[in-house]
Amino acid sequence: MKWQRKDILAIEDMSVEEIRHILHTAKVMKEILMRPIKKLPTLKGKSVVNLFYEASTRTRTSFEMAAKVLGADTTSIAVAQSSVSKGESLYDTAKTIQAMRADVVILRHPSSGSAKFLADILDPAVINAGDGQHAHPTQALLDIFTMQENLGKLEGKNVVIVGDVLHSRVARSNAWCLQKMGVNVTFAGPPTLVPVEMEGLGVKITHDLDSALPGADIVMALRLQLERQKSGLFPSLREYSHLYGLTTERLKKTGKQSIVLHPGPMNRGVEISDDVANSVDALIERQVTNGVAIRMALIYLLIGGSSNVVA
Amino acid sequence: MEGTIKSKILDADGIRRAVTRIAHEIVEKNKGTDKLVLVGIRRRGVPLAERIQKYIEEFEGVKVPLGILDITLYRDDLSTIDIHPVVHETDIPVSIEGKAVILIDDVLYTGRTARAALDATMDIGRPERIQLAVLVDRGHRELPIRADYVGKNLPTSRREVVAVRLKEVDGEEDILLLERDDINIK
Amino acid sequence: MWWLKDVWVIDPSQKISASRDVLVKGGQVLEISSSLTEKEVLEKAQGESLETINGKGKFLFPGLIDVHTHLREPGQEDKEDILSGSRAAVRGGFTTIMAMANTQPPIDNRALIEFVCRQGERAGYAHVLPIGTVTKGMLGSELVEMADMKEGGAVAFSDDGKNIQNSEVMRLALEYAKLTGFPIISHCEDKDLAGEGLMRRGVASGRMGLRGIPASAESVIVARDLILAEETGGKLHLAHISTTESVELIRKAKARGVDVTAEVNPHHLIFCDEEIGITDTALKVNPPLGSRGDREALIEGLRDGTIDMIATDHAPHTQAEKARPFAEAPFGIASLETALSAVWQYLVLPGRLSLDRVIEAWSDTPAQRFGLPGGSLKPGTLADMVLFDPDFSEVIESAKLVSKARNTPFLEKTMQGFPVMVWVEGRLVQRDRTVI
């Protein structure tokens, strides 16, 4: 297929063909990551700017490594959070980056839609590394890449995403990505965190995790932001954990050797028990490699040829 | 095809003879098959490498390891070509550490593909030596590169195109010399 | 003297909707007649110079009265000021605008009321009538000096922009305002339910991960205020109604005889939440755009009289403020210059509302409710009027707008149906879309 996209902002507007193409390219990139010399001349002279308005060592490092393996130069701009003039500084920073003639800008920002906002202003490609509660496309792509490695063909498989779906960009992007690839997705959690309007994403929703587990090939636990308790969204960690915490015992209900994923960092003993967390840890090395491979693929696809570079 | 056919350089039999000869020369020059690793450069280098592997197996009784190399990410013209090249997998199933790697391609022209293949190979490991086998050498080198094994030396002009067609890829089996229709090509 | 010939006159105050000739002299409507000869007109001119306008194919109606505009002066003149806002008003067909009190500082005393009146007169375009706050500093606790502010020129009281959260304060306001005979204009929004919300809570907010404001954030306060108005017998006007539940509550309260009126903004009649894109800060407005169902309920409510008026809620902001990620941009749409055209194009042309109803809801009814001059073309009244050309089309361009603000969802869009002549007290202030 001919790649025509300037930016990677959300999975929602991507075609199945594009997703397949990204996953295929990531597979090639992963092979390169396994080589003794992990350095390509591909993007020599190109520059990648990491613009992070939220702290995230893992995602930022992953993008940096991806850019470096491809031979690009990377610059990180860590922006201190100022609650009053966030928006102004994003617009102003965008203008500065434009002047720096960057080729790709990786943005992590606490406002939903900020990635599209930036992409609309900038000539360089923009990759959304998480915008508010809206989208986290690279996380969804790396999750599905890992799932594919483990399960092969994903069509018809069942995925249950458990937890604070309402506030989760990971849940939204995964729901779009998985459903486009023919996976059945169920959101599970308390009604305050999995409200009925989330059905608008096309997923099934349930408040009874145990009834959703039978047949689940993959169970993904979301990180529970502890401050949600103070907002009254759930009464206590104890009750949450009792109803929605993933334990070995509970996971038996899938009736399968299900894979457990978690976007991290995990609250052990809250959304996930210690022993289940260990099984997630076992996958982490692979998830990290897959994350770099996906991000290499995206950077390559966006600026690897001349056709996508805006003059 | 991008041009008018001027002449047929080799037919199927001609190709078979040329590839068989290359297979013999590889074994002879490397004094056996011990260290050999055949690596086909995508795309037409791959079926050629498979054929060489088969011929060597026929006359030496040894199945030499075979790999596939995709050089897209090593091209030096990525930022100037218009069509976004699709990358494919590189798959070399054995370690090339200390081995004799034979890079195999259909046509040697400017030498830029061979240069990219050398870089890619050396990122994968440190072979004892690397050699280059091509079905056609049409001249016009832009880099100090030459082939160790050549099926057919073919002097050409830059306006001409050498089209290698292989059964596995193209459904046909021959080598054609074409004249480009558009005069303005450099 | 002006002679508008063969123009379709819509004047709900006189129940006129017919082709007429209209004469304007000395700043007043002189006569509305089914046919006049040149001889008759010249006689009436008594030597005064006469300009004759062929009104065929056009509408003439009373200058519109907007009961809800934010002019930002004093304090935020980078967004708008009384001069630019009142110029925008006449360009859009409004000859009277009620200026909301949530300026910086808020209009909470007579001196500030008089300042706004004075600035409006200085500007000399639309009549600018100030709304005072309900509480001092708009802090929601102590009532302002309502009687004194009435003396100074206030026409209503509102803490618009903020809801009066304390129900006892709201009850006292409804009681005390009886002294003035003015309604309390209520901005219905439960602070806790609205939270940090950015758009209406629903499928669209869930899909985009934009924090939602439930419809109940408005409706529960509408219910509260209706109960308080009923209990006190006070006058209540509900600003920018946007939910199905609110319409239903108002309908029932009116049936019980509660002294309530309600307004709706054009954008709530035209757009809905599904149409908001994640960077469309031009559609970020408070109350937020509702569902398709809400839009239908609002149109129906306006049709059957449950909703009495249309009001713009003109809320100008600078381009820099709106050029931010959705969460960080301020709420509001600047609409004085496009509101009438938008209602014409999206509601009247498709047959959803009659032009007669629109004009009634935007002129006669507001004049009646707030006791304002204007809103009528009765002979002897001041000639505040609009000549509307239904076929005039225009691209909404930054360079043409006279408001300081550009935060309109219609920017760069072609719209049809505009006021092409506007008079304030018989003086022509806008001709061919240019403010004079």
Side-chain angles (χ1 to χ4, degrees), chain C residues 71-381:
Chain C
L71 298 179
R72 308 294 188 209
E73 184 179 352
Q76 294 175 305
E77 290 86 350
D78 53 333
K79 296 175 191 257
E80 191 83 286
D81 58 29
I82 290 172
L83 175 61
S84 64
S86 59
R87 282 168 60 88
V90 296
R91 188 157 185 271
F94 300 92
T95 54
T96 299
I97 49 179
M98 283 168 52
M100 267 301 168
N102 64 335
T103 50
Q104 288 175 2
I107 310 299
D108 64 354
N109 61 58
R110 180 169 177 171
L112 285 165
I113 289 285
E114 289 179 351
F115 168 78
V116 174
C117 291
R118 191 67 200 288
Q119 288 293 79
E121 284 158 20
R122 276 202 187 117
Y125 291 97
H127 306 286
V128 177
L129 305 175
I131 298 168
T133 61
V134 177
T135 62
K136 288 176 189 154
M138 263 182 71
L139 297 172
S141 49
E142 290 175 54
L143 298 183
V144 297
E145 295 171 331
M146 292 185 188
D148 196 31
M149 287 164 75
K150 179 181 180 181
E151 289 283 306
V155 294
F157 300 99
S158 179
D159 277 5
D160 181 71
K162 269 189 189 172
N163 180 59
I164 297 172
Q165 296 288 313
N166 184 322
S167 303
E168 172 62 359
V169 173
M170 185 63 185
R171 193 188 69 80
L172 292 170
L174 285 162
E175 287 281 18
Y176 194 83
K178 288 179 193 166
L179 278 180
T180 63
F182 293 162
I184 299 290
I185 301 176
S186 178
H187 166 112
C188 299
E189 181 185 15
D190 184 289
K191 218 172 74 185
D192 297 310
L193 285 173
E196 300 283 296
L198 304 168
M199 63 178 290
R200 172 64 73 77
R201 182 164 190 166
V203 167
S205 73
R207 185 167 51 79
M208 291 189 280
L210 291 171
R211 279 187 302 270
I213 300 172
S216 57
E218 171 179 298
S219 314
V220 297
I221 301 294
V222 167
R224 179 198 74 170
D225 288 354
L226 289 169
I227 290 165
L228 292 173
E230 186 166 21
E231 188 178 82
T232 57
K235 269 191 183 171
L236 176 66
H237 176 76
L238 299 169
H240 43 56
I241 286 307
S242 70
T243 77
T244 307
E245 297 75 21
S246 298
V247 175
E248 196 43 44
L249 287 162
I250 296 163
R251 190 173 283 131
K252 284 181 181 154
K254 283 190 164 181
R256 296 196 304 273
V258 178
D259 189 355
V260 60
T261 48
E263 74 188 34
V264 63
N265 305 146
H267 43 264
H268 290 121
L269 299 170
I270 293 168
F271 301 107
C272 61
D273 63 347
E274 293 164 33
E275 293 166 282
I276 302 173
I278 201 160
T279 54
D280 290 345
T281 56
L283 289 176
K284 183 180 176 185
V285 66
N286 191 23
L289 301 175
S291 65
R292 276 166 198 273
D294 290 318
R295 184 168 62 185
E296 289 309 304
L298 292 168
I299 293 172
E300 184 50 38
L302 183 59
R303 254 199 233 126
D304 72 14
T306 302
I307 294 173
D308 306 85
M309 311 172 201
I310 308 175
T312 62
D313 195 6
H314 176 72
H317 292 292
T318 64
Q319 279 171 295
E321 288 169 313
K322 280 287 192 180
R324 291 178 184 174
F326 201 89
E328 294 155 20
F331 290 99
I333 295 175
S335 47
L336 280 173
E337 288 175 78
T338 51
L340 176 58
S341 179
V343 168
W344 169 261
Q345 183 169 332
Y346 291 96
L347 296 159
V348 179
L349 273 186
R352 307 302 314 277
L353 283 172
S354 71
L355 186 58
D356 292 26
R357 175 67 189 126
V358 168
I359 301 310
E360 180 186 32
W362 232 339
S363 61
D364 185 37
T365 312
Q368 299 293 331
R369 179 61 168 171
F370 292 96
L372 312 174
S376 169
L377 297 176
K378 280 185 191 135
T381 58

Side-chain angles (χ1 to χ4, degrees), chain C residues 396-414:
Chain C
I396 307 303
E397 284 171 305
S398 187
K400 286 188 195 155
L401 295 171
V402 300
S403 164
K404 288 187 184 178
R406 302 288 178 270
N407 53 309
T408 160
F410 300 112
L411 205 61
E412 311 301 334
K413 300 218 161 75
T414 303

Side-chain angles (χ1 to χ4, degrees), chain A residues 24-25 27-29 31-32 35-37 39-42 300-301 304-308, chain B residues 72-74 78-90 120 122-125:
Chain A
H24 164 80
T25 309
K27 209 170 155 194
V28 177
M29 298 302 177
E31 181 268 320
I32 286 157
R35 293 183 188 174
I37 297 170
K39 185 81 180 175
L40 295 171
T42 318
Y300 168 72
L301 289 170
S306 66
S307 54
N308 298 297
Chain B
T72 310
L73 296 168
Y74 289 84
L78 268 179
S79 60
T80 58
I81 47 180
D82 199 38
I83 299 153
H84 207 294
V86 175
V87 292
H88 291 285
E89 272 158 285
T90 289
M122 287 190 290
D123 280 355
I124 292 163

Side-chain angles (χ1 to χ4, degrees), chain B residues 16 25 34-37 51 66 68 73 90 99 114 118 124 127 129 153 159 164 174 183:
Chain B
R16 181 178 49 76
E25 284 174 11
D34 281 0
K35 290 185 169 177
L36 287 184
V37 177
R51 293 182 193 184
L66 175 72
I68 296 170
L73 296 168
T90 289
K99 295 288 175 63
L118 283 170
I124 292 163
R129 57 184 174 269
N153 276 300
R159 292 224 337 244
V164 172
D174 52 21
I183 314 291

